[in-house]
Amino acid sequence: MDFKFSDRVPSLDNDVVGEILKVAGDPKIISFAGGLPAPELFPVEEMKKAADEVFEKDGQNALQYTASIGNPKLRQLVTDRMQNHKHIDCNVDNVCITTGSEQSIDLIAKMMINPGDVVLVEKPTYLCALDVFRSYGAKIVGVDMDDDGMKMDSLEQALKQNPDTKLIYTIPNFQNPTGRTMPADRRQKCAELASKYNVMVMEDDPYGEIRYSGEPVDPIKHFDKDGHVIFMSTFSKILAPGMRLGWIVADKKFVDAFVLMKQSADLHSDNLSQYIVARFMEENDLDAHIQKIRDVYYRRSSMMLKEIDEQFPEGVKHSNPEGGMFIWVEVPGNINTMELFKNCVEHNVAFVPGEPFYPDKVIPGTFRVNFSNMQENQIHEGIHRMAVAISEMLNK
């Protein structure tokens, strides 16, 4: 059958990431390629207790349809957390529950992008967001970064050169893939530029709670004076990704339009999951649970950075994340990253090559490693294998 797919469907014979992850799933391979939270940290017993109580006390309601905007109790709990932890000026009408951050990205792009519209992104950035923007026909323009994230002078230059820009997409905390964090002055400037050029900012913050060093920084949304910033986050990294719950915080007028789009996408996010997460948050100390995650990720991140510094060849650079799940590595010279990936697989270790994260010109020799889902002994052995593979490539 010759299916006449739309242009939005990616080519099935060019799924580079899928092939990489398939190879990385080989049990012989120590894989730093995934972006998985540590499953041993999922609050299984507490979630089970919350679920039992939901079925016992609210079973019929939890199994019924609900409003597209989300469970009122969960939205209020999220609102309280946004006000107290993120210093975002909002109320419950500014919050909509989503089916994970992926739905937030997709629906916002669907709402804002017509074919040919410009989206400005960090270079490199989250590969799935790039896929979404491309699916709606966006012209994607990369903005340069340094160790402090997106450069604001480069952002303003891109805005001047692309007056038809619709969106700025940024991950200011522990960015995927680089692990970099944007300081407060740049966040404030980003909000000011959005207002000046009348452009919406998608502030994607899936990792912001997982800070294990340095000082917290208020989100871009904190500096938003006129509704140009949409804040997005998720329960995937602080509870469990299988719940498939996230949220947006935005101007009420934007939220109202977003809800209309969501109605045609999935009617509403999983109602049972919303009830369970709300019950969990009411009965447990979420901050204490998040601290356990931070402690484990700090140990694993510190160990991986130490092993990289000790074992990788001279000249290899890496980011130094203050939180999150990823480290970005840059190998000197004109190394073909896909060839390096293949050589690493021959040594039974894997990473994600940098190519899929770039919106335009690719910087060779770059790749992302994940530490959150790896035990300490695997980190030591995996980095050793990778060091050998990199040395072989550099010495060719």
Side-chain angles (χ1 to χ4, degrees), residues 360-374:
D360 38 43
K361 183 180 178 182
V362 173
I363 297 178
T366 56
F367 60 88
R368 188 194 77 180
V369 287
N370 165 261
F371 51 81
S372 59
N373 193 33
M374 280 291 139

Side-chain angles (χ1 to χ4, degrees), residues 179-221:
R180 296 165 179 160
T181 295
M182 186 187 293
D185 60 336
R186 291 195 186 185
R187 298 182 190 214
Q188 182 172 359
K189 183 65 174 178
C190 184
E192 292 170 354
L193 290 173
S195 179
K196 178 180 177 180
Y197 291 92
N198 194 26
V199 176
M200 297 298 293
V201 175
M202 294 173 63
E203 181 179 14
D204 194 1
D205 189 35
Y207 315 105
E209 297 271 23
I210 314 299
R211 173 179 283 279
Y212 38 75
S213 63
E215 295 298 321
V217 187
D218 287 333
I220 299 170
K221 184 64 178 170

Side-chain angles (χ1 to χ4, degrees), residues 22 62 73 146 151 167 351 356 361 365 379:
K22 187 188 302 181
K73 185 177 291 185
D146 58 18
K151 298 166 66 175
L167 287 171
F351 55 74
K361 183 180 178 182
I379 291 174

Side-chain angles (χ1 to χ4, degrees), residues 228-290:
H228 279 90
V229 180
I230 310 155
F231 179 89
M232 309 182 301
S233 194
T234 177
F235 287 104
S236 293
K237 310 303 186 295
I238 59 175
L239 284 180
M243 304 302 290
R244 301 312 306 132
L245 291 180
W247 66 91
I248 68 164
V249 184
D251 181 89
K252 184 181 182 302
K253 186 176 180 181
F254 185 92
V255 170
D256 290 344
F258 184 91
V259 170
L260 289 176
M261 298 297 290
K262 183 171 170 57
Q263 287 174 358
S264 64
D266 64 357
L267 192 59
H268 61 77
S269 298
D270 188 286
N271 196 26
L272 177 59
S273 291
Q274 293 186 65
Y275 265 89
I276 292 171
V277 169
R279 179 77 60 161
F280 174 92
M281 291 177 71
E282 288 181 318
E283 296 191 347
N284 296 273
D285 186 341
L286 180 57
D287 290 327
H289 170 68
I290 292 172

Side-chain angles (χ1 to χ4, degrees), residues 4-64:
K4 296 180 180 179
F5 293 124
S6 77
D7 293 340
R8 287 185 291 276
V9 179
S11 173
L12 299 178
D13 59 359
N14 191 33
D15 183 11
V16 177
V17 176
E19 292 302 313
I20 289 168
L21 295 179
K22 187 188 302 181
V23 170
D26 187 324
K28 300 191 302 295
I29 292 176
I30 295 176
S31 176
F32 301 130
L36 303 178
E40 66 271 23
L41 297 174
F42 296 160
V44 175
E45 291 303 315
E46 294 87 347
M47 280 290 192
K48 180 178 182 299
K49 181 175 180 291
D52 289 344
E53 292 180 1
V54 165
F55 278 114
E56 187 176 311
K57 299 176 182 178
D58 293 301
Q60 292 181 350
N61 291 329
L63 294 174
Q64 185 58 278

Side-chain angles (χ1 to χ4, degrees), residues 74-330:
L74 182 58
R75 287 168 60 223
Q76 185 60 60
L77 290 165
V78 168
T79 300
D80 294 343
R81 197 162 184 87
M82 293 297 93
Q83 293 171 342
N84 299 327
H85 286 70
K86 296 294 185 179
H87 306 138
I88 293 175
D89 182 14
C90 64
N91 59 51
V92 71
D93 292 331
N94 301 118
V95 175
C96 178
I97 303 300
T98 65
T99 306
S101 288
E102 296 297 335
Q103 184 182 57
S104 301
I105 294 170
D106 183 72
L107 289 183
I108 293 168
K110 189 176 183 180
M111 290 170 67
M112 300 300 297
I113 298 171
N114 291 315
D117 285 343
V118 172
V119 178
L120 304 182
V121 303
E122 292 152 341
K123 187 169 61 175
T125 192
Y126 179 41
L127 56 91
C128 290
L130 291 176
D131 288 342
V132 169
F133 300 147
R134 290 186 181 115
S135 76
Y136 290 109
K139 174 187 174 184
I140 305 173
V141 176
V143 179
D144 288 337
M145 303 176 74
D146 58 18
D147 289 342
D148 289 328
M150 184 185 284
K151 298 166 66 175
M152 290 300 106
D153 56 345
S154 297
L155 175 59
E156 183 157 25
Q157 182 179 11
L159 287 166
K160 290 177 179 177
Q161 292 173 346
N162 298 276
D164 53 346
T165 297
K166 277 289 190 71
L167 287 171
I168 300 167
Y169 175 75
T170 178
I171 311 170
N173 287 318
F174 326 127
Q175 196 242 15
N176 181 3
T178 66
R180 296 165 179 160
T181 295
M182 186 187 293
D185 60 336
R186 291 195 186 185
R187 298 182 190 214
Q188 182 172 359
K189 183 65 174 178
C190 184
E192 292 170 354
L193 290 173
S195 179
K196 178 180 177 180
Y197 291 92
N198 194 26
V199 176
M200 297 298 293
V201 175
M202 294 173 63
E203 181 179 14
D204 194 1
D205 189 35
Y207 315 105
E209 297 271 23
I210 314 299
R211 173 179 283 279
Y212 38 75
S213 63
E215 295 298 321
V217 187
D218 287 333
I220 299 170
K221 184 64 178 170
H222 169 76
F223 301 101
D224 182 24
K225 305 300 183 186
D226 46 20
H228 279 90
V229 180
I230 310 155
F231 179 89
M232 309 182 301
S233 194
T234 177
F235 287 104
S236 293
K237 310 303 186 295
I238 59 175
L239 284 180
M243 304 302 290
R244 301 312 306 132
L245 291 180
W247 66 91
I248 68 164
V249 184
D251 181 89
K252 184 181 182 302
K253 186 176 180 181
F254 185 92
V255 170
D256 290 344
F258 184 91
V259 170
L260 289 176
M261 298 297 290
K262 183 171 170 57
Q263 287 174 358
S264 64
D266 64 357
L267 192 59
H268 61 77
S269 298
D270 188 286
N271 196 26
L272 177 59
S273 291
Q274 293 186 65
Y275 265 89
I276 292 171
V277 169
R279 179 77 60 161
F280 174 92
M281 291 177 71
E282 288 181 318
E283 296 191 347
N284 296 273
D285 186 341
L286 180 57
D287 290 327
H289 170 68
I290 292 172
Q291 188 58 51
K292 293 178 183 177
I293 300 173
R294 291 170 180 156
D295 292 343
V296 171
Y297 288 8
Y298 176 69
R299 288 198 302 272
R300 293 178 180 178
S301 171
S302 298
M303 181 176 186
M304 182 172 280
L305 289 169
K306 178 175 178 291
E307 296 290 341
I308 288 174
D309 286 338
E310 292 180 353
Q311 298 199 54
F312 276 14
E314 186 176 352
V316 176
K317 298 178 181 178
H318 61 78
S319 59
N320 290 282
E322 296 179 335
M325 300 164 53
F326 305 112
I327 296 169
W328 185 246
V329 179
E330 301 178 28

